[in-house]
Amino acid sequence: MRLLTHKWKCALCQCTSLMSKNLAGRHISSSANVSLKNVFSDDNKTAVQKKLSTYTNIIPGRFKKEGARNASVLIPLCIVNGEPSLLFMVRPMTIAQHRGEVCFPGGKEDDGDRDVIHTALRESHEEIGLQEDDVDIWGQMMPVPSNRDGSLNVVPIIGYCGKIDLNSLYLNKDEAASVFTRSIDSLCTNAHSTQFRREIKSVEGYTLPVYTGGQHRIWGLTAVFVHQLLGLIVPELYRFKLRHR
């Protein structure tokens, strides 16, 4: 497990807080209230895209590093067994970094990529076999610094993949040990927080989301992306708030 610095954790908190503040008080309704039955509807897609267009898509200044590289991940919205869900992957134990971690498919931007959306789609195809033409892009959320030194920014890309049969996915075993899904409903009802306190009183503590209730615990950067996403696509169902005490 990678040890994360206090500065990196604070950057995650700052980005999550900024996202929440941008969306707070900017209610943009669709033609119907969002429910599990219509969460992936065209009306909700339009509403989400309107919300994304209203907030400042920047990293907080004190965590921004000039010359930082971009990476992106795809957050695959999908239907599994009739339930609206998210698709996750588990990194293999044989890699040098992030071994065994739960994540979304994605990676660093290549010189030949058109943009960060293309990066996420390319990496998703290479890692778990998702076809670019099978993904309907809804938009991109706020970038978040990933490395301790701020040299890498990760952009989460929201994409709808329709009905998915996990057994039909082709996994690159060098990149993905397995895949699994969690229903939107289970994520909304199993959200918790992990609080980190500092022994030095002059240094702030921080709080990050964590999701339980399934085979794999979802935490860290992936949990931050899930927290941001649920607040966007199902605000009526996802009432969880991060509070540091």
Side-chain angles (χ1 to χ4, degrees):
M1 182 181 297
R2 184 172 55 136
L3 296 177
L4 305 176
T5 63
H6 171 70
K7 181 178 180 181
W8 185 87
K9 289 280 191 178
C10 286
L12 291 185
C13 297
Q14 289 283 336
C15 290
T16 303
S17 176
L18 184 57
M19 174 78 168
S20 300
K21 289 178 181 177
N22 276 311
L23 293 176
R26 300 186 185 185
H27 179 67
I28 302 173
S29 62
S30 58
S31 59
N33 289 330
V34 180
S35 69
L36 293 176
K37 293 182 178 181
N38 64 9
V39 61
F40 295 156
S41 66
D42 288 340
D43 284 343
N44 198 35
K45 173 185 174 181
T46 299
V48 167
Q49 290 174 331
K50 288 181 179 179
K51 290 176 185 178
L52 288 172
S53 70
T54 64
Y55 73 82
T56 304
N57 194 22
I58 59 173
I59 292 175
R62 67 192 180 103
F63 300 112
K64 191 174 182 180
K65 183 174 181 178
E66 187 174 351
R69 291 189 61 186
N70 285 328
S72 59
V73 298
L74 178 69
I75 303 181
L77 314 178
C78 57
I79 302 291
V80 177
N81 298 325
E83 289 190 289
S85 306
L86 301 185
L87 174 66
F88 299 86
M89 55 181 276
V90 181
R91 293 291 184 191
M93 296 300 294
T94 53
I95 59 177
Q97 293 182 325
H98 314 300
R99 63 184 62 174
E101 292 185 7
V102 170
C103 61
F104 292 115
K108 294 180 182 178
E109 187 176 26
D110 283 351
D111 291 338
D113 291 342
R114 298 187 297 272
D115 50 33
V116 290
I117 293 176
H118 181 232
T119 300
L121 292 172
R122 175 183 55 76
E123 288 282 351
S124 297
H125 176 65
E126 292 174 1
E127 292 178 341
I128 61 175
L130 280 179
Q131 297 293 330
E132 181 175 341
D133 292 342
D134 293 336
V135 183
D136 177 27
I137 298 298
W138 283 26
Q140 62 188 66
M141 299 194 302
M142 180 179 296
V144 173
S146 175
N147 285 358
R148 300 182 184 97
D149 59 1
S151 62
L152 185 69
N153 299 325
V154 181
V155 184
I157 308 297
I158 306 171
Y160 176 61
C161 305
K163 294 182 180 179
I164 283 186
D165 177 6
L166 297 185
N167 293 323
S168 68
L169 296 176
Y170 177 77
L171 305 188
N172 178 349
K173 291 300 185 179
D174 291 332
E175 301 283 352
S178 62
V179 292
F180 69 96
T181 59
R182 285 286 302 274
S183 71
I184 299 292
D185 184 36
S186 71
L187 291 169
C188 287
T189 55
N190 288 282
H192 309 279
S193 61
T194 301
Q195 297 193 1
F196 301 85
R197 302 186 184 278
R198 307 295 291 180
E199 295 181 0
I200 305 173
K201 292 184 178 180
S202 61
V203 178
E204 292 183 10
Y206 39 88
T207 302
L208 294 175
V210 59
Y211 298 87
T212 60
Q215 180 182 0
H216 301 281
R217 188 170 68 106
I218 301 167
W219 62 284
L221 189 62
T222 302
V224 169
F225 292 153
V226 171
H227 178 67
Q228 291 182 354
L229 176 81
L230 295 178
L232 274 171
I233 68 173
V234 283
E236 290 87 352
L237 301 177
Y238 187 62
R239 298 295 185 178
F240 177 70
K241 305 296 181 184
L242 278 178
R243 296 183 176 89
H244 183 71
R245 299 175 182 176

